[in-house]
């Protein structure tokens, strides 16, 4: 079974509107971390936001927030007030326990329309 | 913030050439670095975990003799694609963490686009 599932290959959003990118995960570990990264067409990976499995509050970083629903094993990224520069590929990733490596989802390509 | 430098950013070379890609942590020590491969519009596939002073740990299906990894210092890991062929053409990206705390993200290099003719 896939550890990280992103069911939306592509998403469109109108500029200035909010958009939710879905991510579900599968793990038997009690301790894990969830990350979202942005990858523009230039290729670099940009860290956006982190949510720990023991964090009781949803993480927020500026226009980014993470809707963490632990029982459902989902960690959706919400981008508020979309900007044209938000057009990129977005990856959800999970790091289990103390392991260094992360598992990435297949990504969602977000296109912001003017 | 923590920065990872990856060089070169782009390589175009003939089939049969060996290509070395460097990954450096600029302002922190990285005992562990990771090498990923990414095909267009696809996810990052972990190839191997590079450990300073010891052998790299390769993921299943990754040829150790094809993708040589050396992590000789706390700030440098190299990936050498030996005798590269067109099917090795891809985007290769490295990452590192500056300390083993679970809430720290991986810091990525800017990637290397490898094109084998």
């Amino acid at each position: 079974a896939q550890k990280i599932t992103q069911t939306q290959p592509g998403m469109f959003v109108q500029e200035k509107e909010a958009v939710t990118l879905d991510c579900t995960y599968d793990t038997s570990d009690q301790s894990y971390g969830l990350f979202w990264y942005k990858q523009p067409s230039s290729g670099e990976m940009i860290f956006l936001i982190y949510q720990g499995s023991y964090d009781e509050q949803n993480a927020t970083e500026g226009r980014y927030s993470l809707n963490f629903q632990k029982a459902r094993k989902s960690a959706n990224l919400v981008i508020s007030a979309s900007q044209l520069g938000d057009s990129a590929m977005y990856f959800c990733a999970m790091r289990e326990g103390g392991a260094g490596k992360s598992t990435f989802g297949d990504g969602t390509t977000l296109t912001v329309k003017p | 913030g923590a920065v990872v430098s990856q060089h070169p950013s782009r390589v175009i070379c003939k089939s049969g050439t060996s290509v070395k890609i460097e990954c450096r942590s600029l302002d922190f020590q990285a005992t562990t670095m990771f090498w990923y491969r990414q095909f267009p519009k696809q996810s990052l596939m972990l190839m191997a975990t590079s450990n300073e002073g010891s052998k790299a740990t390769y993921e299943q299906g990754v040829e150790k003799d094809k993708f040589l990894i050396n992590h000789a210092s706390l700030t440098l890991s190299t990936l050498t694609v030996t005798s590269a062929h067109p099917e090795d053409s891809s985007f290769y990206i490295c990452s590192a963490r500056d300390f083993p705390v679970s809430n720290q993200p991986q810091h990525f290099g800017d990637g290397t686009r490898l094109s084998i003719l």
Side-chain angles (χ1 to χ4, degrees), chain A residues 37 39 50 95 101-102 105, chain B residues 38 43 97 102-104 106:
Chain A
Y37 292 88
Q39 187 180 41
Y50 165 83
R95 181 186 302 141
K101 60 184 180 181
S102 297
Chain B
Q38 185 182 30
S43 186
R97 280 199 295 157
S102 61
N103 65 350
Q104 292 300 312
Q106 292 175 258

Side-chain angles (χ1 to χ4, degrees), chain B residues 14-92:
Chain B
K14 292 181 179 178
S15 187
T17 307
S18 290
V19 177
K20 181 187 279 190
I21 303 170
E22 293 187 348
C23 183
R24 293 181 186 273
S25 56
L26 295 187
D27 54 358
F28 65 96
Q29 295 184 332
T31 55
T32 303
M33 291 186 178
F34 305 96
W35 288 96
Y36 294 87
R37 182 174 182 175
Q38 185 182 30
F39 292 105
K41 300 204 181 294
Q42 293 190 22
S43 186
L44 278 71
M45 288 173 27
L46 180 65
M47 298 173 66
T49 303
S50 171
N51 304 299
E52 187 267 334
S54 64
K55 290 184 180 179
T57 305
Y58 289 82
E59 295 299 304
Q60 193 172 9
V62 178
E63 298 177 59
K64 300 178 185 182
D65 295 333
K66 176 73 171 177
F67 300 100
L68 299 178
I69 291 172
N70 184 281
H71 194 152
S73 78
L74 285 170
T75 59
L76 174 64
S77 175
T78 60
L79 168 68
T80 301
V81 184
T82 61
S83 186
H85 291 284
E87 59 267 26
D88 299 321
S89 298
S90 191
F91 186 64
Y92 294 87

